[in-house]
Amino acid sequence: MEAVKHIHLTFVVLSVLGFLARGLWMIVESPLLKAKPVKILPHIIDTVLLVSALVLAVKMGLKPSEHPWLQAKIAGLVLYIVFGVIAFKPTRPKKVRIIAFILAVTTVAFIISAAFSKSAAGFFAFL
């Protein structure tokens, strides 16, 4: 189970770093954002991340209905995906995409804080 946890954490880092890089490239209108690997790798990384999360949940016997912090992470993931889609939709105004990017990064921070604190409130518990 430790190996799966390490894989999961590694892919969390890869996913977040990749998202941050793509967001910055979007803001500065870098041509790197249009490179084929930049369009493909996030899907591979996020698939491994999601599969490792599911394997961990099953191996640990975690059921979202019994763990509010896990429900919060799942809800956060849905929001993160929505904000991410908006942030990288080139037909949307740049200001909207930047706001969506900031909201997505904030959502990721919440997801990570909920995971570490095992609290559905995540970093909101400290406000």
Side-chain angles (χ1 to χ4, degrees):
M1 186 164 67
E2 283 297 312
V4 177
K5 185 176 180 181
H6 288 296
I7 289 168
H8 182 69
L9 293 175
T10 299
F11 280 81
V12 166
V13 171
L14 290 173
S15 182
V16 171
L17 289 177
F19 188 80
L20 290 172
R22 289 181 297 139
L24 294 175
W25 292 337
M26 176 266 298
I27 291 168
V28 299
E29 299 177 11
S30 171
L32 289 171
L33 193 57
K34 295 179 182 177
K36 195 166 190 166
V38 174
K39 292 183 176 275
I40 295 170
L41 277 175
H43 298 291
I44 296 168
I45 290 168
D46 291 343
T47 298
V48 173
L49 178 58
L50 183 58
V51 168
S52 65
L54 293 172
V55 169
L56 272 176
V58 169
K59 285 189 174 230
M60 295 172 72
L62 297 175
K63 297 176 185 165
S65 60
E66 297 173 1
H67 299 280
W69 65 271
L70 191 52
Q71 292 173 358
K73 281 184 62 176
I74 293 167
L77 176 62
V78 172
L79 276 177
Y80 171 67
I81 291 168
V82 169
F83 291 141
V85 167
I86 294 168
F88 294 113
K89 192 78 158 179
T91 56
R92 301 224 184 246
K94 189 171 182 181
K95 185 177 181 179
V96 170
R97 294 179 343 186
I98 292 171
I99 291 168
F101 172 70
I102 292 166
L103 290 170
V105 171
T106 304
T107 303
V108 166
F110 168 78
I111 293 168
I112 293 169
S113 71
F116 279 104
S117 68
K118 301 289 189 269
S119 166
F123 60 62
F124 290 111
F126 300 106
L127 298 179

